[in-house]
Structures are given as C-alpha cells and as structure tokens.
Amino acid sequence: MLAECVRRQWSCSGTSPSLLQTSAAVVKDGVATYFGTTDTEVENEAMSTFDPKQHKLHRGKSVSLCSVAGGMSGLSLLPPLSGMLSSIAFFDSNAQELAKAELWVALIRMSPSRNKFLERLYSKQAFDDLAKFTPQSMAELLKSAPFDERIFNKTETELYCESTGLAVKLYQQDVASLVGLRSNNTARPRMWPSWQEHLPEDKYGHVYGSPSRPHGKVGTLWLNQAGFMKNEDRYQQVRHVLLSTPVNFRVLDLNEEFTAQDMGLLDDVPVVMFTSDTLKLSKWVADLEHGALQRFQEAFPRGGLLLQTQAHPPSHFSVTTI
C-alpha cells in the first residue's frame, strides 16, 4: 500500500506537483527550533483580524504571501487574505523549519477539522472535545492520553501522499518524540495546545525569550484563544486556502539578495511579507529592518506590505509599506 501511495503521490490529494514544491536543501542534524508559534496571543489575533483594505489591498486583487516558517504564525494571515492569494512561500534559513512547515501544510490539507489536525500532530485520542482544552487542563489531558500507534501509522502513510520525505522524516522522529511523547508520556511536549503567561516554567517551559533558558523553550497553538486555531471557521478558511493555492518552501537567508522567482512567487503582483521578529534581532539579520526592507523592495518591484511582530510582551504588530 505504501509503495502504491508513493507512486500516486499527487493524485492522493487531488493536487498537482506544481502546487507543492520544496527546497533541495538537506535537513541538518538536530530538530526544528519551534513546533508552535512563539508570537504572542495578541499578535496572532492581530494577524487573523488584519484588514488588507486599510492598506489598499482589496479582495479580488492578486497578492503573494511570503512568510517566515518559524512557528508557522503566518498561517493566521490566510483567512484575511483569502480570495486574494496567487501563491504562498514559506521561507527560513533553517531547512529543518521548512520541513516542519511542509509537514504542517500537509497535515492541515489532510485534516478536515481542528480536532483531526491535533490528533495527527500529537498521535493521541484526546481532542474530541476541544472546549476542554485550557492552559489549566491541557497538561493532564495530554498526559492521560497515550501515544496512539494506529493514528501515527495511518498519518505516516498518508503523509507519503501529501509531502516529501523531509516532512515524513520529521514526523517519524522529532514530532513523534517531542510533541507526541512516543517514548515518555510524562515528559513535557515541545508544543502546548494553548498558553497563558505565568505558567510554572519548571512544568511548562517558556514561550517567550531565549531558547537557552534553563527550563526549555516551547511553542503553542493558541487553541480556542487566537490565530487560525481560535475557532473552526478560521481553520476551515486556512485549509481551503492551502488546498487551492500554490505553496512553495524555500531556504532563504534574509541577509542575502533574492528575487520573487527565487521564492516561487510572481514578480508582477504585490507581496505581503511576514517576518515575525526576525528583523529586530541582529543575530538573524545584521542590518536589521532598514537593510532588509531595501532587499524586499528590489525582490518585489510591485511593492507590498511588511508585517512584523515583537514575539514577546508587550505585544506589537506592525505594518510597513515595501
């Protein structure tokens, strides 16, 4: 069955190879840094309620979305941009983050609802009633549900129809062990369904700040709280966009020059560029926002918008013209 699925890789999803391309970069040893967003609740909600019309981008007018992979916060921009997108590109300087981005896109395409998406991500039968999941209850709910090999095996097989081997490998190894807790159901997952400030760091880890802090950095989905996982309607809008729009995955160092074509995007339409907090940190971009903005203007001659977050309280979501 698996061999047949691989031979039918694109017919399984009803899409064509042109709708899902990936970088040829080899994933290095190690794991993805972020399995969920580290942008704040306020910032994720601001992305989901972003109004393109306020910035002269009107429905029916084609735009491209170019989003950093990272914690996949960029998915929350899909509902407000629905009906406008000609193509989407997820980029990152870390090829492992791109494998994770590809995995998430594949899982959302495969999963007709939020609870099925979560069931596949965690390989747990714990998500029938999403209203039960709160920052106070999530640890016990996840702990009480063992890793389900049946869900894992079924998802693994279907992933061969929807994604490349890089995403499958990530699911088999890192996601199974660090999110699903396959071998240690009492450990702390690297991604929590929901979150709130001031959770005990020794039990939950931390979302904001340096990954090097003692108790370990985690991501979240803001389930029932913000962003594309706040409610079922937003998730369905995201899934519809991902099923109907070309999606590309590209290794990109924002310190370097690039073109729209390098990203698999059109150069004759405006771009919505989302970089999270990358341009605020010299460890990622040496010349910060000013230098990067010049490169974006050269890459996208039709201009567009640069969207940024601060990724720690106090929250800040900014929009700059490219």
Side-chain angles (χ1 to χ4, degrees):
M1 178 180 177
L2 183 56
E4 177 64 18
C5 188
V6 172
R7 287 195 296 272
R8 296 184 299 111
Q9 184 171 10
W10 298 105
S11 62
C12 289
S13 62
T15 63
S16 68
S18 62
L19 293 191
L20 186 59
Q21 302 172 25
T22 190
S23 167
V26 177
V27 175
K28 299 177 181 178
D29 292 338
V31 298
T33 306
Y34 310 112
F35 285 101
T37 182
T38 60
D39 290 314
T40 69
E41 179 180 2
V42 170
E43 290 165 345
N44 274 269
E45 188 62 12
M47 284 187 271
S48 284
T49 56
F50 168 70
D51 185 357
K53 294 194 297 294
Q54 291 185 0
H55 304 277
K56 300 181 180 180
L57 295 179
H58 298 283
R59 194 166 297 278
K61 181 179 181 180
S62 291
V63 299
S64 297
L65 173 64
C66 190
S67 172
V68 65
M72 293 301 283
S73 299
L75 290 170
S76 291
L77 288 166
L78 297 187
L81 294 175
S82 177
M84 303 175 65
L85 290 169
S86 60
S87 54
I88 300 167
F90 289 104
F91 70 88
D92 209 286
S93 60
N94 180 356
Q96 192 80 342
E97 296 293 345
L98 290 179
K100 188 221 34 223
E102 186 184 342
L103 173 63
W104 277 48
V105 169
L107 290 177
I108 292 172
R109 285 173 164 172
M110 291 160 52
S111 305
S113 61
R114 288 184 300 160
N115 66 309
K116 290 300 181 183
F117 172 67
L118 291 164
E119 187 178 274
R120 293 176 187 276
L121 260 180
Y122 286 88
S123 293
K124 292 176 182 288
Q125 292 184 346
F127 301 100
D128 288 342
D129 186 358
L130 296 186
K132 292 181 179 179
F133 276 86
T134 67
Q136 294 74 33
S137 67
M138 61 186 180
E140 289 306 312
L141 288 171
L142 292 178
K143 182 179 178 180
S144 65
F147 187 89
D148 191 316
E149 293 288 346
R150 180 191 62 82
I151 295 173
F152 174 81
N153 291 335
K154 184 174 186 293
T155 302
E156 178 188 39
T157 298
E158 293 178 5
L159 277 172
Y160 279 100
C161 299
E162 290 286 344
S163 61
T164 68
L166 300 183
V168 176
K169 181 180 178 182
L170 187 75
Y171 183 75
Q172 293 168 330
Q173 298 178 2
D174 300 338
V175 173
S177 62
L178 299 176
V179 177
L181 305 181
R182 187 179 199 174
S183 58
N184 184 2
N185 204 46
T186 62
R188 179 176 64 228
R190 283 277 297 275
M191 180 179 67
W192 292 105
S194 52
W195 189 258
Q196 69 178 28
E197 292 187 54
H198 310 306
L199 289 172
E201 192 169 310
D202 58 345
K203 180 178 180 179
Y204 293 93
H206 64 94
V207 165
Y208 311 123
S210 170
S212 62
R213 278 163 53 182
H215 295 293
K217 194 171 179 71
V218 297
T220 183
L221 291 166
W222 294 116
L223 177 67
N224 302 324
Q225 297 172 293
F228 84 101
M229 289 292 283
K230 183 175 184 177
N231 55 51
E232 196 64 28
D233 181 62
R234 285 185 185 173
Y235 176 84
Q236 293 300 333
Q237 290 181 66
V238 168
R239 184 168 183 260
H240 172 74
V241 171
L242 293 178
L243 283 169
S244 59
T245 309
V247 181
N248 303 283
F249 305 88
R250 295 290 189 268
V251 172
L252 175 65
D253 182 343
L254 290 179
N255 290 287
E256 300 174 355
E257 295 181 357
F258 67 98
T259 67
Q261 292 95 328
D262 292 336
M263 307 303 293
L265 301 175
L266 300 174
D267 61 4
D268 59 352
V269 299
V271 69
V272 174
M273 187 94 182
F274 172 64
T275 58
S276 187
D277 64 339
T278 304
L279 305 186
K280 303 178 186 299
L281 302 170
S282 59
K283 68 176 182 178
W284 299 122
V285 181
D287 50 7
L288 301 177
E289 180 179 338
H290 176 72
L293 192 56
Q294 289 184 322
R295 290 188 286 278
F296 298 164
Q297 290 168 343
E298 293 173 2
F300 302 104
R302 295 296 299 274
L305 301 173
L306 170 62
L307 311 184
Q308 298 182 79
T309 57
Q310 190 158 284
H312 61 78
S315 303
H316 182 66
F317 177 69
S318 67
V319 182
T320 305
T321 301
I322 295 176

